[in-house]
Amino acid sequence: MATIREIAEEAGVSRMTVSNVINNVKGKVSPETEKRIREIMEKHHYVPSMAARSLISKSSHIIGILLPQWAGNPNSMLLTPYAAYVVAYFEELLRAKGYYVMLCSFAKAEDAVMIQRTWHTDGMIEMFPHDDPINHELVERSECPLVVMDRHFDDLQMLSVGIEDRKGGYLAARHLLEEGHRQIGIAASSIESSQLIRERYEGYAEALAEYGLEPRKEWIFDGTDRHAGGIRVAEQLLGMRERPTAMVCTEDLIACGIMKRYQERGLNVPQDISLVGFDNSEPSRVVTPMLTTVNQFIRKKAETAVEMMLRAITDPEYRNDRKTLDVDLVKRESVARLA
Amino acid sequence: MATIREIAEEAGVSRMTVSNVINNVKGKVSPETEKRIREIMEKHHYVPSMAARSLISKSSHIIGILLPQWAGNPNSMLLTPYAAYVVAYFEELLRAKGYYVMLCSFAKAEDAVMIQRTWHTDGMIEMFPHDDPINHELVERSECPLVVMDRHFDDLQMLSVGIEDRKGGYLAARHLLEEGHRQIGIAASSIESSQLIRERYEGYAEALAEYGLEPRKEWIFDGTDRHAGGIRVAEQLLGMRERPTAMVCTEDLIACGIMKRYQERGLNVPQDISLVGFDNSEPSRVVTPMLTTVNQFIRKKAETAVEMMLRAITDPEYRNDRKTLDVDLVKRESVARLA
DNA sequence: CTGAAAGCGCTTACAG
DNA sequence: CTGAAAGCGCTTACAG
């Protein structure tokens, strides 16, 4: 493989001059020399070595995508469609700006910092922060710009992008209320341990409160694990004397699970239970009836995070910002109007 | 950040000695010295710079995941759940072996080779090879070990891992035949341009042939694009005088789309049409009735690819191998027994 | 078991 | 507009 030295020799110039061409330093190389050098580079398929460049610049053009992997996040969260979308967009947007994306699962803040040092990553974007102490520590210790998705610690200087989770929960519940429902439960993945799910819950409670209602304890399901969890919720619901007429779900898959078990028991959605999901994911459109769901703008979210990252890389002052993106309700077929 | 020089000075040894400790070179450093050096490294959270190491070794411990991005693969294929799983497993398995995963979308073979040179990647795994000339060129030009998923060129020396696609198509069709179906169509994503889909089609045709049947042209749908494509197939089906009693689909989402439109028209699965999907993906379990589908062992597939990669990295002779993994049929609720 | 020298491929900072 | 020198953080190959 050709090196800058060989290119320089063949062009009869110093390595410096080639370097100036590579880095597009203006007014340093005469047009003719530049053209000649570029042709020689083309011919040899010359590409500068990132190892050598980053050794000097202390910057690698690598952005790490941090995927937490601990008790709270046992399997790689990449496995959810939402994550796949976000990561795919990150890759596309960052590459367009000349950055490379490295996938980094990690178990402790220390691990993430080690990766930063090992590679001199220009920045890191953390997905699915879940467990507070570890993330708190990571935010404090990170040695390069860090953008955190869906989590913000108010006591820390940090960069984060999230969505109006509270509004999402609120919109879901209010829609049901407007359609005449008064007995509305909620099935959530982790009110206890996840701030974002808690906010969805609070939005739900707020909407109920506007109608003078309070959440009923026996209709609050926490720790519901995706589709299988939804099925279990449905079973409990079906065993109750008094059942809610509608359920807000913090994830589409939970709603799909409830729907499945109801249908298997010969009951119908939305006649026997109305359902609102969250995320507007593929499954929400695949089931029959299609799910009414809270939509978040995933592409926009990825773009926002990338913009933050790029700004943070160029501006060392930019280390404290929080963007919260809007959500909206997609009305489909899973909510019945009550007389 | 500490460098090897500072560690060496603090320990009162040469940089060489520290290097030997870092690289676990046996019998080169006395146990006491090693212990002292390790403690100092700990204290400083010292991590060797990959840039410096790979500058010398011409190896970065980076494995690139190649994601083709051209006319045939317009959006990032990462967006499919299947891809998300595979990539998540790659990351987990490779990290455990000390490798780093870089996501690399690319449009031309040249781009991929440039990335290899830029980073001195130790290896690359290509997903979703679709368009022949580009992949053919990539296989020929790759400058580091390359493992290709789901595609093999018999005229080239290459490493690939795939599944028994033909058997998958065969199992799907044979099951329908055994259940008494004789009018069996197929909805495929790309028989024309994808070898693997073509093989699924051929398996389907083979099963029909065993029963003295031939595929009927008007029941062969090609270029079916996921869920929306399935819906369109259903519409065409519903407009036919003579309709198939069953459809083999090369993707679960296609089957889900057909199911959706049939149900919307008041028809039932499997009474009005039996459906077999492919992939055993989340949607196949979410719909009602649940889909009978061809299952592939994704985890095993990822493991196989990683093993191939690791072997290729250590053994320069190992450049030509092909692994084909088994599939099986998961029988659920979308196939009716015909009298 | 330890160390001094040379060099990986590039850029920074300076002199012309 | 061009170039010679020094150095980024590490390892290889050798001498002791």
Side-chain angles (χ1 to χ4, degrees):
Chain A
M1 253 184 64
T3 67
I4 198 172
R5 144 175 260 133
E6 298 166 49
I7 304 295
E9 278 171 8
E10 188 163 335
V13 299
S14 77
R15 281 175 267 168
M16 233 346 275
T17 307
V18 178
S19 174
N20 282 330
V21 171
I22 295 168
N23 296 293
N24 264 313
V25 183
K26 296 290 170 203
K28 282 286 210 172
V29 187
S30 67
E32 310 85 65
T33 314
E34 172 166 353
K35 182 154 176 294
R36 185 156 39 90
I37 292 173
R38 286 210 184 279
E39 279 166 6
I40 295 170
M41 295 200 302
E42 281 282 307
K43 191 178 96 190
H44 290 275
H45 299 285
Y46 170 75
V47 189
S49 153
M50 263 312 215
R53 304 180 87 171
S54 78
L55 181 56
I56 298 165
S57 62
K58 305 277 173 273
S59 137
S60 59
H61 275 67
I62 293 176
I63 306 293
I65 307 293
L66 248 18
L67 303 165
Q69 215 115 77
W70 52 69
N73 297 28
N75 297 313
S76 175
M77 299 297 277
L78 233 202
L79 300 186
T80 67
Y82 163 78
Y85 275 90
V86 175
V87 171
Y89 291 140
F90 282 160
E91 200 277 339
E92 177 193 334
L93 298 165
L94 287 168
R95 171 158 310 260
K97 296 289 182 182
Y99 288 91
Y100 297 83
V101 166
M102 186 175 271
L103 255 27
C104 311
S105 61
F106 72 106
K108 308 189 307 276
E110 173 75 11
D111 299 346
V113 175
M114 298 277 260
I115 298 175
Q116 296 178 353
R117 293 172 165 229
T118 301
W119 288 103
H120 294 295
T121 52
D122 285 17
M124 287 198 150
I125 303 180
E126 188 190 15
M127 306 202 46
F128 311 105
H130 204 81
D131 181 69
D132 289 14
I134 295 177
N135 284 295
H136 212 275
E137 186 188 345
L138 176 62
V139 171
E140 289 177 314
R141 291 187 48 193
S142 181
E143 299 182 355
C144 64
L146 174 69
V147 172
V148 178
M149 305 299 289
D150 294 309
R151 189 76 174 90
H152 195 91
F153 299 106
D154 292 315
D155 58 328
L156 255 34
Q157 303 260 84
M158 67 182 288
L159 298 168
S160 72
V161 7
I163 59 167
E164 301 276 10
D165 286 294
R166 191 185 172 97
K167 177 176 172 186
Y170 174 84
L171 287 179
R174 201 190 59 185
H175 176 57
L176 290 166
L177 289 159
E178 286 171 354
E179 295 296 306
H181 293 268
R182 292 297 176 269
Q183 306 190 292
I184 306 174
I186 184 166
S189 48
S190 48
I191 301 175
E192 281 302 318
S193 60
S194 163
Q195 176 187 262
L196 109 225
I197 299 298
R198 198 157 48 245
E199 289 191 3
R200 291 178 191 178
Y201 170 80
E202 282 165 9
Y204 148 87
E206 182 187 334
L208 292 195
E210 287 182 0
Y211 279 71
L213 265 27
E214 264 187 31
R216 280 180 44 174
K217 246 204 337 264
E218 64 275 30
W219 293 343
I220 302 174
F221 298 85
D222 195 13
T224 308
D225 185 32
R226 310 188 65 185
H227 191 250
I231 288 177
R232 251 172 278 116
V233 167
E235 271 161 15
Q236 295 185 52
L237 249 22
L238 291 167
M240 289 180 178
R241 276 177 298 117
E242 199 181 358
R243 308 208 281 248
T245 61
M247 289 292 289
V248 169
C249 303
T250 61
E251 213 180 322
D252 284 334
L253 244 21
I254 295 175
C256 292
I258 296 177
M259 183 186 293
K260 166 148 285 303
R261 186 49 45 97
Y262 263 68
Q263 291 175 339
E264 285 173 356
R265 293 291 161 83
L267 297 170
N268 293 308
V269 177
Q271 293 81 353
D272 295 301
I273 192 163
S274 289
L275 259 16
V276 182
F278 210 111
D279 277 346
N280 188 20
S281 60
E282 184 109 57
S284 76
R285 274 157 274 143
V286 161
V287 289
T288 304
M290 289 192 283
L291 228 48
T292 290
T293 183
V294 177
N295 174 61
Q296 54 168 312
F297 303 90
I298 299 184
R299 171 88 191 184
K300 175 86 184 150
K301 199 167 171 184
E303 284 170 354
T304 305
V306 168
E307 280 163 22
M308 245 185 193
M309 184 83 264
L310 297 175
R311 179 163 164 206
I313 289 172
T314 52
D315 177 4
E317 304 294 304
Y318 184 65
R319 289 293 179 275
N320 193 25
D321 195 11
R322 174 181 193 163
K323 304 261 189 219
T324 307
L325 303 185
D326 202 15
V327 297
D328 61 7
L329 188 71
V330 181
K331 293 179 193 172
R332 291 203 277 241
E333 309 159 353
S334 63
V335 174
R337 176 157 200 95
L338 254 51
Chain B
M1 254 185 64
T3 66
I4 198 172
R5 144 175 261 133
E6 299 166 49
I7 303 295
E9 279 171 8
E10 186 163 337
V13 298
S14 77
R15 282 175 265 168
M16 234 348 276
T17 307
V18 178
S19 173
N20 282 329
V21 171
I22 294 168
N23 295 292
N24 265 311
V25 183
K26 296 292 168 199
K28 281 286 212 175
V29 187
S30 65
E32 309 84 66
T33 313
E34 172 166 352
K35 182 154 176 294
R36 186 155 41 90
I37 292 173
R38 287 210 184 278
E39 280 166 7
I40 295 170
M41 294 200 303
E42 281 281 308
K43 191 176 98 192
H44 291 274
H45 298 286
Y46 170 77
V47 189
S49 153
M50 263 310 211
R53 305 181 87 171
S54 78
L55 181 56
I56 299 166
S57 62
K58 306 276 174 272
S59 139
S60 60
H61 275 68
I62 292 176
I63 306 294
I65 307 294
L66 249 18
L67 303 165
Q69 215 116 76
W70 53 69
N73 297 27
N75 297 312
S76 175
M77 299 297 278
L78 233 203
L79 300 186
T80 67
Y82 163 77
Y85 275 90
V86 176
V87 172
Y89 291 141
F90 281 161
E91 200 276 339
E92 176 193 334
L93 297 165
L94 287 168
R95 169 157 312 259
K97 295 290 182 182
Y99 289 91
Y100 297 84
V101 166
M102 186 175 271
L103 255 27
C104 311
S105 60
F106 73 107
K108 309 189 307 277
E110 173 76 11
D111 299 345
V113 175
M114 298 277 259
I115 298 175
Q116 295 178 354
R117 292 171 165 231
T118 300
W119 288 103
H120 295 296
T121 52
D122 285 16
M124 287 198 149
I125 303 180
E126 188 191 13
M127 306 202 44
F128 311 105
H130 205 82
D131 181 71
D132 289 16
I134 295 179
N135 284 295
H136 212 276
E137 186 188 345
L138 176 63
V139 170
E140 289 176 315
R141 291 187 49 194
S142 180
E143 299 181 355
C144 64
L146 174 69
V147 173
V148 177
M149 304 300 287
D150 294 309
R151 189 78 174 88
H152 195 93
F153 300 106
D154 292 317
D155 58 328
L156 255 34
Q157 304 260 82
M158 66 182 288
L159 298 169
S160 72
V161 8
I163 60 167
E164 301 276 10
D165 286 293
R166 191 184 172 96
K167 178 177 172 185
Y170 174 85
L171 287 179
R174 200 190 60 185
H175 175 58
L176 290 166
L177 290 159
E178 287 172 354
E179 295 296 305
H181 293 267
R182 292 298 176 268
Q183 306 189 293
I184 306 174
I186 184 166
S189 48
S190 47
I191 300 174
E192 281 302 319
S193 61
S194 164
Q195 177 188 259
L196 110 225
I197 299 297
R198 198 158 49 245
E199 289 191 2
R200 292 178 191 179
Y201 170 80
E202 282 165 8
Y204 147 87
E206 182 186 334
L208 291 194
E210 286 182 0
Y211 279 71
L213 265 28
E214 264 187 31
R216 280 179 47 172
K217 246 204 338 266
E218 63 275 30
W219 294 344
I220 301 175
F221 298 85
D222 196 13
T224 309
D225 185 32
R226 310 188 65 185
H227 191 249
I231 288 177
R232 252 173 277 118
V233 167
E235 271 161 14
Q236 295 185 52
L237 249 20
L238 291 166
M240 289 179 177
R241 275 176 297 115
E242 197 183 356
R243 307 209 281 248
T245 61
M247 290 291 289
V248 168
C249 304
T250 62
E251 214 179 321
D252 285 333
L253 243 23
I254 296 176
C256 292
I258 296 178
M259 182 185 294
K260 165 147 285 306
R261 187 47 47 98
Y262 263 68
Q263 291 176 337
E264 284 172 356
R265 294 292 162 83
L267 297 170
N268 293 307
V269 177
Q271 293 80 353
D272 296 301
I273 192 164
S274 289
L275 259 15
V276 182
F278 210 110
D279 276 347
N280 188 21
S281 60
E282 185 111 55
S284 76
R285 272 157 275 142
V286 161
V287 290
T288 304
M290 291 193 282
L291 228 48
T292 289
T293 183
V294 176
N295 174 62
Q296 55 168 310
F297 303 90
I298 298 186
R299 171 86 191 187
K300 175 84 184 153
K301 200 167 171 184
E303 285 170 353
T304 305
V306 167
E307 279 163 23
M308 245 185 191
M309 185 82 265
L310 296 176
R311 180 164 164 205
I313 289 173
T314 51
D315 177 4
E317 305 294 303
Y318 184 65
R319 289 292 179 276
N320 193 25
D321 196 9
R322 173 182 195 165
K323 304 262 190 219
T324 307
L325 303 185
D326 202 15
V327 297
D328 61 8
L329 188 72
V330 181
K331 293 179 192 170
R332 290 202 278 241
E333 309 160 350
S334 62
V335 174
R337 176 155 200 96
L338 254 51

